[in-house]
Amino acid sequence: MTGDQIIIFDTTLRDGEQSPGCSMNTREKLEVARALVDLGVDVIEAGFPIASPGDFESVSQIAEKFGDRTTICALARSREDDISRAKAALVSAQNRRIHVFLATSAIHMEFKLRMDKQQIIERAVSSVKSAKEFCDDIEFSPEDAARTELDFLCEVVEKTIAAGATTVNIPDTVGYATPNHYFKVISYLKQNVPNISRAVISAHCHDDLGLAVANSLAAVEAGARQIECTINGLGERAGNAALEEVVMAIRTRADYYGVHTKINTQRLYPTSHLVSTITGMKVQRNKAIVGQNAFAHEAGIHQHGMLQERSTYEIMRPADVGYVGQNLVLGKHSGRHAFRDRVIQLGFSLDDAAIQRAFDDFIALADKKKEVYDSDILALIENRLSDAADRWRLVSFHTSAGSSAIPTATLELQCEDQPVLCDAAIGDGPIDAVFKAMERIMELSARLEEFDVRSVSEGKDAQGEVRVTIDVSGRHFQGKGVSTDIIEASAHAYLKALNKADHERRSADAARLSPQT
Ligand code: KIV
Ligand code: ZN
């Protein structure tokens, strides 16, 4: 790394996953980890191994599969049992990092930890030393640093660096900082911590005031050389700094910041889509960099300028972020070869079996709609990727409804390779009836919290994308489904969300049966 390279530390799988309803299973986390490796992130924070057996398992598998291509990081509180769980999860990673944290703000010390300053320093130092016995690359975070008394923050940072921390992360845990304030905190550390040059300073900003990206960039100006961020800004409450925004700001304004990242920016759009599909968390249309409207020029005066010279209204080229527009690509008679080439151009590396499945889906879709767009192909592939982890699949459905009929649905579902189960239900409408029949078969009871429909591309025959959020016993799960038939898309979305709830129910049952794991 050179002095002008910014380390991109992705925490989608740890801080991002803490976002309500966004939990992912191991298979999904591996899928996201693969995309992050292809994107070129320097560090993947893969999880918090002590949190659950599932978290431990996913960190271990990510460490094993990708630990030779990027650094895999595991989070631990400043407690011996947390740290040893992190060590165990990371054993097979060639490049590994333990991230230890302990709160340092007066409010956290008094009400959460009930520890005084001396105790905090001792605990932080001993934790860093313990982690250091396992690997060289150690990150320490004084949690709630942005609200920590500055001289105490300097003392903690100095002592943890002396104990072996190679990265000191300065979290704005509650999204309280503003750009100039955060700039001053980082500058103060640079000026007042004697051994600060022995560690990389890192920014970790939450978006409660909508300032996470601005604060992260202010930290870079003050000398931070690592930014912690998540795809689509996923994360608790208002989320974390959005990776795609940070990266494109640094790239587009290289003239101003004078730094760079190693991110392959053309993978930003597909990675954003993948994370949105897997978590079910929608990306708002006008979201910077990866929103559907990010490159749309509707106003006449803008269009006129664009036709003369793109740079009049465009500061980034859509292709730079891997944007997939409405370009018509294939039709019913396009062969398997043309389809495969297009999939590769869209940035996917699928094996032969996956290409074949996607091609079969494409042929089925091309039969239903005349024109197939890139966005349709993206939706088909993502649908298959996120299906892979599900136990239950939709075999068939039939609905009847009308102004004078009672809306009814008959459904066939199959759980793994068990016999197909069939049931029927009535509802307020055909979609409600499908949802009710599904719950009966899966023996799960859910409350529908959100239901959202949009079209994937243009035209009356466009595919519809449905997203749902459900509440099962106080836990939130999201799902997405795509089809030219809205009822079918709704069924897939609801089944996806119920599959997640089913997965959690089974993990809880397994943990109850074997409490020692
Ligand atoms: O926001 C925060 O303080 C965190 C720490 C664990 C780094 O996520
Ligand atoms: Zn955080």
Side-chain angles (χ1 to χ4, degrees):
M1 184 203 147
T2 61
D4 60 4
Q5 188 201 316
I6 302 298
I7 298 169
I8 295 296
F9 175 110
D10 181 276
T11 183
T12 306
L13 295 173
R14 199 278 299 169
D15 224 354
E17 206 225 1
Q18 283 171 220
S19 180
C22 288
S23 50
M24 298 172 239
N25 59 36
T26 300
R27 172 87 196 232
E28 291 167 333
K29 287 186 181 174
L30 283 166
E31 204 58 61
V32 172
R34 192 176 56 79
L36 293 173
V37 169
D38 292 345
L39 182 63
V41 307
D42 301 284
V43 185
I44 295 177
E45 187 165 49
F48 188 16
I50 192 103
S52 70
D55 249 55
F56 180 86
E57 185 55 26
S58 41
V59 177
S60 310
Q61 289 202 27
I62 291 170
E64 192 188 327
K65 293 212 159 62
F66 303 110
D68 57 341
R69 295 184 59 195
T70 189
T71 297
I72 309 299
C73 175
L75 183 70
R77 284 167 299 185
S78 290
R79 291 165 34 160
E80 210 33 63
D81 44 355
D82 277 42
I83 296 169
S84 42
R85 241 6 220 159
K87 290 177 184 175
L90 289 175
V91 271
S92 51
Q94 215 168 296
N95 307 299
R96 52 211 190 188
R97 172 184 296 190
I98 296 183
H99 176 187
V100 191
F101 73 100
L102 184 64
T104 50
S105 65
I107 194 161
H108 277 230
M109 288 194 309
E110 184 182 344
F111 296 107
K112 189 176 83 172
L113 300 172
R114 298 184 195 288
M115 289 166 78
D116 64 22
K117 286 182 174 172
Q118 196 47 41
Q119 290 170 314
I120 293 285
I121 302 243
E122 281 164 16
R123 176 79 73 83
V125 165
S126 66
S127 300
V128 168
K129 284 187 175 159
S130 162
K132 194 82 179 176
E133 287 164 10
F134 174 73
C135 60
D136 221 45
D137 189 349
I138 303 299
E139 173 166 329
F140 178 76
S141 285
E143 190 190 1
D144 205 16
R147 292 193 300 172
T148 297
E149 185 202 316
L150 275 180
D151 288 326
F152 180 53
L153 185 63
C154 287
E155 190 179 349
V156 174
V157 166
E158 181 183 348
K159 301 238 163 91
T160 49
I161 293 175
T166 42
T167 299
V168 281
N169 183 41
I170 308 302
D172 179 21
T173 305
V174 293
Y176 177 72
T178 60
N180 205 22
H181 162 217
Y182 200 57
F183 176 93
K184 285 181 183 158
V185 172
I186 306 290
S187 305
Y188 196 84
L189 289 168
K190 284 208 80 158
Q191 281 153 18
N192 294 284
V193 174
N195 56 2
I196 195 74
S197 61
R198 282 167 44 196
V200 173
I201 302 177
S202 165
H204 178 113
C205 300
H206 281 267
D207 207 30
D208 299 65
L209 293 174
L211 294 171
V213 171
N215 290 341
S216 306
L217 295 170
V220 167
E221 284 192 77
R225 285 296 174 265
Q226 173 174 288
I227 297 183
E228 303 201 348
C229 42
T230 58
I231 301 291
N232 300 336
L234 203 67
E236 218 162 12
R237 309 185 306 276
N240 290 58
L243 181 148
E244 60 280 3
E245 294 179 25
V246 162
V247 165
M248 288 313 287
I250 286 174
R251 179 180 150 138
T252 308
R253 297 309 311 275
D255 61 319
Y256 177 74
Y257 291 108
V259 293
H260 66 272
T261 72
K262 287 196 329 211
I263 296 297
N264 171 7
T265 59
Q266 292 180 0
R267 298 294 309 153
L268 287 171
Y269 195 78
T271 309
S272 158
H273 251 264
L274 178 75
V275 169
S276 168
T277 299
I278 286 181
T279 59
M281 183 68 96
K282 192 172 158 189
V283 174
Q284 80 206 44
R285 282 184 89 98
N286 63 338
K287 161 90 177 61
I289 317 298
V290 290
Q292 223 185 320
N293 287 1
F295 295 97
H297 300 272
E298 287 287 330
I301 188 160
H302 286 201
Q303 286 182 346
H304 176 73
M306 287 283 291
L307 288 173
Q308 308 298 318
E309 163 58 43
R310 293 192 79 86
S311 61
T312 48
Y313 285 100
E314 202 164 77
I315 59 166
M316 297 166 276
R317 284 174 308 164
D320 293 343
V321 304
Y323 174 77
V324 172
Q326 293 293 325
N327 39 324
L328 172 63
V329 277
L330 302 170
K332 196 171 166 166
H333 302 294
S334 309
R336 199 170 169 279
H337 219 75
F339 178 77
R340 190 195 188 95
D341 285 352
R342 196 62 207 156
V343 168
I344 292 168
Q345 276 167 27
L346 286 172
F348 290 96
S349 50
L350 303 183
D351 60 27
D352 285 346
I355 285 276
Q356 189 56 50
R357 274 197 306 272
F359 184 65
D360 293 343
D361 289 348
F362 160 72
I363 291 296
L365 178 64
D367 254 345
K368 290 187 202 160
K369 78 196 284 274
K370 282 200 303 289
E371 297 165 333
V372 179
Y373 298 96
D374 277 344
S375 49
D376 289 318
I377 295 178
L378 203 62
L380 289 180
I381 294 173
E382 284 170 351
N383 228 20
R384 283 292 186 177
L385 288 177
S386 62
D387 265 3
D390 296 340
R391 278 187 352 121
W392 291 87
R393 75 180 181 87
L394 180 65
V395 178
S396 73
F397 77 97
H398 172 83
T399 56
S400 70
S403 56
S404 55
I406 298 175
T408 311
T410 311
L411 215 64
E412 284 186 311
L413 295 184
Q414 186 175 27
C415 180
E416 293 175 330
D417 48 12
Q418 294 166 28
V420 172
L421 299 178
C422 177
D423 210 334
I426 56 170
D428 289 334
I431 293 177
D432 185 42
V434 166
F435 291 177
K436 287 201 169 111
M438 212 173 259
E439 288 178 36
R440 284 162 65 130
I441 297 177
M442 293 175 71
E443 292 175 3
L444 273 168
S445 161
R447 195 168 65 79
L448 182 65
E449 293 200 313
E450 274 177 55
F451 180 88
D452 206 41
V453 193
R454 72 167 190 106
S455 75
V456 169
S457 55
E458 294 168 354
K460 283 188 186 148
D461 60 355
Q463 293 195 92
E465 178 187 280
V466 173
R467 287 173 187 260
V468 298
T469 305
I470 59 170
D471 178 326
V472 178
S473 313
R475 299 269 296 141
H476 305 275
F477 302 94
Q478 295 176 325
K480 185 176 111 172
V482 182
S483 170
T484 46
D485 175 342
I486 286 298
I487 300 179
E488 188 176 359
S490 306
H492 283 301
Y494 206 67
L495 185 59
K496 181 84 211 163
L498 285 178
N499 261 310
K500 289 182 183 172
D502 171 61
H503 180 81
E504 190 149 303
R505 174 175 64 177
R506 282 165 52 83
S507 309
D509 289 349
R512 255 198 305 282
L513 289 173
S514 54
Q516 72 279 12
T517 57

